[in-house]
Amino acid sequence: MKRIFFLGLLFICFTSIAQTSRKLVIIDDTTEQVVPFANILFSKTDYKGTSTDIDGVFYVPNSVNTITISYVGYETKVLQLEEITSHIIRLKPKVSELDEIVIDGENPAHRIIRKATANKKLNNPERLKSFSYESYDKIIINFGKQKEENDTMRAQIDSVMKGSYLFLTETIAKHKYLKPSFSEDSIIATRSSGFKNPKFAMLANNFQPFSFYDEYIELFETNYLNPISKGSTRKYKFRLKEDYLQGKDTIFVISFEPKANRNFEGLKGLLTINSNKYAVQSVDAKTFNSGKLDVTIQQKYRYVQNNYWFPEQLNFEINIGEDLGSVTYIGKSYLSKITPNAALSKKDFPFVSVTLLENAGLKNDTFWKLNRRDSLNYNEERTYVFIDSLGEKFKFDKITTILPSLLKLRLPLKYVDIDLSRIARYNKYEGTRLGLGIYTNDDIFKNVSIGGYAGYGFKDSAWKYGGEMLVDIPGKKDISINLKYVNDLRETGALSDHRFNHPFSQRSWIASQMDGVESYSIQTDMKLFRNLNWSLGFSKTDVNPLYDYEFLTDATSITNYTNSEFNIGIGYHIKENLVNNFGIISRLPNDAPIFNLYYSRGLKGTFDGDFDYNKFRFTLDHSFLTKGLGKTTYRLDLGYIDNTLPVGLLFTGEGSLDKQIPFVVRNYFQTVTPYEFLSNKYAHLFTVHNFGRLFNNKGYIQPDVLLHNNLGIGSLSNTSSHQLIEFSNKDELFLETGLELQNLIKLPYLNIGYLGFGVGGFYRYGYHHLEKSSDNFAFKFSMGFSFK
């Protein structure tokens, strides 16, 4: 009887709610897309009303007889509730100008924008000490819009898919955040079309900012000036489109668009500001003049407990490319169970910020029907049926096992992986180098890989080879142990220890001063604490310089030598954000400072080691924005060795000037030849400031303007110890400055973006200025890819 009474009570409550309000949806009459944040007035007398949510949904009390619907870019519509026979209402688009209105000498929208800007810290949810919430995320990927209606190939594809999208995924997750940078996204359920048990999860708000309060909105490595930022009224055109009452609060609807002749990346759209704390209640923004990449951000905020505004719905749409090659990405995120200032501590957060429960991909249909935001529409249901059938036929689940290897540049086969990085390389010493690397995979040993490689240089006519065993120890510490033997080449100088192993590094192409090495080593890497990684290793290396060289020590001349070395490395990331997908832990890039300290100790007499020494190297990498001026990126690089050592163990290789391969290489001197300077102590500072598109933002010539300033100083003890080799000393300050026009020429690529080609001019001056004036100049090229 109690259960029957309870169910009856629930039925009465739901019936009561249904009787007091009516659900309606607004769509665009032309595109049939939903219209979010449209303004709904219930009365023209007191201007009370509401607005649609991200899905175009709104509720009307049954006590209301007439509603007035308005939205920028659409015709205003007045409807009698009794005459509405469908839950769908269509709005007809119209052209709307975004000119400023000036009343008594001031644009009324400016006053509201200034108040919203002044209250940013108060309303920004990321300024809270902590918070937690749950989310339901939905991501849809489909073909983009086609320009030509009679596209035969596209029509044929659409007829086969019959309303199906290319891809659909749903995710349910729990989120928590603790200031300043602790976060966790715990995926408790995920479902993806084409996959029976997806071992990955895609969160809809990963590509967009969590809130609309930062000075710059970063989208795909481009920083767009926020319309609610200090001084934005001088850069944006604002217009107060409408205001109405919502309860005790006044709602202001303001359109915005960058002013003409701007020199910044901007957005256009609508802001809804609530007079309660002058907070953003909703935002509908699009990138302005964004080339092959159009991005739309839609966010809706709710006034939650403890008097805070917090995101409630987030929508993100990306359109890449044009015509058949174009792709549309739509991500929707619905937040619930929001708790500002949740009781959290550092101990509540794992090292990896995105975690996936083991059974997250195995939830049944009943679970999803109970937990998803709304029922699936026809297209979404069709996607699961059609793409799942393709996934079963073509075994899409294999992708989840293949992708981790491909991300490591390995091609997985049965039992073994092919190391793609070993197939082809180039440097000025070997010329073209072809080779092959084969390593066992999990088909033979779980978490253990054994393999080797061989390569042949066509210029030096010599074989190189090596073998190794890599052991991964599962767990939070992400421990790996590597045992390695190599009989190969190593570019001289500690600055190039890891560079030579990257076939796509432009700096490696100009490497020419090589040591032949036969080395045995053991190395272990692990995460020591949060944000802190460390490595520990030992190596014994026989070195044969492959250039004319003699090293004088204690009145003895030596060429070949043995080096035994213990080393330890520590890396600290201020705002480290790790994600685990497909079993691979990767670090999301950001502009926060990164510190790296490397120490090695030479062990004379250990395994026939010839030298005792202490070697230190420290680097600091950091980027930051200066409002209105652009982005600055710098590297501070310091090195110290306390003993006299052969060239192969000293610091050199910081130059990147080669007239045959004239490319701009970051964090190297552009006017210095590779081995021009030799040091056992040095200090370098490399800076690049990107002013952005300083000239204009229209047309085909839109180069980014970059200013380079590099400086360095160093010293070398006992210079007479190094015979038969040319080098210079950096006892005095070295200076160079350069100007680079990045993406000066852009060529369309696959209808999705542009291949950019730029030029740069660099000049060395000061104490190390060369006698022949023209030798101080270096002209170089740069390459890149962009959507704009």
Side-chain angles (χ1 to χ4, degrees), residues 481-753:
I481 301 173
N482 184 262
L483 296 166
K484 183 183 294 186
Y485 166 81
V486 297
N487 194 315
D488 208 328
L489 302 178
R490 183 176 67 191
E491 187 181 11
T492 59
L495 299 181
S496 58
D497 280 349
H498 304 290
R499 181 184 63 232
F500 188 60
N501 291 324
H502 294 277
F504 303 112
S505 168
Q506 293 165 343
R507 175 57 184 80
S508 69
W509 301 344
I510 66 173
S512 61
Q513 187 169 286
M514 301 290 187
D515 286 329
V517 296
E518 184 178 19
S519 175
Y520 302 84
S521 65
I522 180 172
Q523 186 86 17
T524 179
D525 296 272
M526 70 173 290
K527 177 167 283 297
L528 189 60
F529 302 109
R530 186 182 303 278
N531 297 32
L532 188 67
N533 304 320
W534 71 275
S535 63
L536 189 68
F538 173 81
S539 65
K540 183 257 185 181
T541 307
D542 294 323
V543 182
N544 174 30
L546 301 176
Y547 44 91
D548 291 334
Y549 177 68
E550 289 184 1
F551 178 64
L552 300 182
T553 176
D554 298 328
T556 302
S557 174
I558 64 173
T559 301
N560 299 345
Y561 56 90
T562 298
N563 185 51
S564 296
E565 182 180 272
F566 163 81
N567 61 75
I568 183 170
I570 298 174
Y572 183 72
H573 297 249
I574 294 293
K575 291 184 178 179
E576 185 176 56
N577 193 5
L578 300 176
V579 296
N580 186 348
N581 265 329
F582 305 100
I584 293 180
I585 297 176
S586 57
R587 182 178 293 109
L588 297 179
N590 59 59
D591 292 336
I594 301 172
F595 300 90
N596 282 290
L597 177 63
Y598 183 86
Y599 167 75
S600 57
R601 168 69 181 174
L603 304 173
K604 186 175 182 179
T606 302
F607 294 103
D608 300 320
D610 291 320
F611 306 105
D612 266 324
Y613 60 87
N614 294 291
K615 180 188 296 185
F616 297 88
R617 188 187 177 195
F618 170 82
T619 62
L620 165 61
D621 294 277
H622 184 211
S623 297
F624 61 89
L625 286 169
T626 304
K627 188 176 178 181
L629 293 177
K631 184 175 183 177
T632 301
T633 301
Y634 70 88
R635 166 174 281 191
L636 176 64
D637 191 346
L638 309 174
Y640 172 79
I641 300 173
D642 66 353
N643 206 345
T644 302
L645 300 175
V647 167
L649 301 177
L650 294 175
F651 299 117
T652 187
E654 64 264 43
S656 65
L657 177 60
D658 188 296
K659 293 184 178 181
Q660 294 177 332
I661 308 178
F663 286 100
V664 178
V665 184
R666 299 287 179 264
N667 299 323
Y668 287 89
F669 292 113
Q670 310 299 322
T671 60
V672 174
T673 55
Y675 316 107
E676 182 175 342
F677 294 110
L678 188 62
S679 309
N680 67 308
K681 304 172 189 176
Y682 74 89
H684 299 156
L685 179 62
F686 304 97
T687 69
V688 181
H689 182 80
N690 190 339
F691 289 97
R693 301 183 181 187
L694 198 60
F695 299 134
N696 64 72
N697 277 273
K698 296 180 180 179
Y700 292 99
I701 300 178
Q702 304 175 37
D704 285 353
V705 180
L706 279 66
L707 178 64
H708 296 252
N709 281 290
N710 305 323
L711 58 91
I713 193 169
S715 64
L716 178 66
S717 303
N718 300 320
T719 58
S720 60
S721 296
H722 310 285
Q723 300 294 313
L724 307 179
I725 190 171
E726 293 185 2
F727 61 87
S728 298
N729 237 321
K730 248 194 340 267
D731 289 331
E732 302 291 338
L733 188 65
F734 176 88
L735 298 167
E736 70 175 15
T737 294
L739 186 67
E740 181 185 355
L741 299 180
Q742 206 172 67
N743 297 321
L744 181 63
I745 299 174
K746 297 188 302 182
L747 302 177
Y749 181 73
L750 297 179
N751 267 339
I752 61 172

Side-chain angles (χ1 to χ4, degrees), residues 221-232:
E221 298 185 357
T222 299
N223 294 287
Y224 295 87
L225 182 66
N226 194 330
I228 51 170
S229 59
K230 189 176 181 181
S232 63

Side-chain angles (χ1 to χ4, degrees), residues 351-449:
F351 289 152
V352 179
S353 60
V354 178
T355 57
L356 184 67
L357 297 185
E358 188 69 26
N359 64 341
L362 301 175
K363 304 297 183 182
N364 58 29
D365 289 339
T366 302
F367 173 89
W368 285 105
K369 288 178 181 178
L370 292 173
N371 289 278
R372 64 166 53 100
R373 165 79 177 191
D374 203 350
S375 59
L376 299 176
N377 61 33
Y378 170 80
N379 300 80
E380 293 165 345
E381 289 181 343
R382 171 66 182 166
T383 302
Y384 276 130
V385 173
F386 180 67
I387 303 300
D388 281 354
S389 65
L390 291 179
E392 185 173 354
K393 181 177 181 179
F394 295 103
K395 303 186 185 306
F396 285 0
D397 283 291
K398 282 189 175 181
I399 296 175
T400 62
T401 58
I402 293 174
L403 193 57
S405 296
L406 291 178
L407 293 174
K408 298 176 182 178
L409 289 180
R410 290 189 178 186
L411 178 64
L413 303 175
K414 187 67 173 176
Y415 304 120
V416 297
D417 291 348
I418 304 298
D419 188 347
L420 300 176
S421 69
R422 298 282 183 183
I423 293 176
R425 295 183 181 182
Y426 176 83
N427 61 72
K428 298 200 74 173
Y429 183 84
E430 295 178 284
T432 299
R433 169 172 166 167
L434 301 180
L436 181 67
I438 300 177
Y439 295 84
T440 64
N441 54 36
D442 288 347
D443 292 339
I444 298 180
F445 302 112
K446 189 73 172 176
N447 300 319
V448 177
S449 179

Side-chain angles (χ1 to χ4, degrees), residues 304-355:
V304 298
Q305 58 176 308
N306 301 324
N307 302 322
Y308 293 107
W309 286 93
F310 205 87
E312 181 183 32
Q313 297 178 350
L314 303 171
N315 188 25
F316 192 62
E317 182 172 333
I318 310 168
N319 291 284
I320 303 175
E322 297 173 348
D323 299 328
L324 185 62
S326 62
V327 175
T328 296
Y329 166 103
I330 299 173
K332 294 179 178 290
S333 186
Y334 302 89
L335 280 60
S336 61
K337 299 182 181 179
I338 300 167
T339 306
N341 294 320
L344 296 170
S345 66
K346 296 179 181 179
K347 296 180 180 179
D348 297 321
F349 295 86
F351 289 152
V352 179
S353 60
V354 178
T355 57

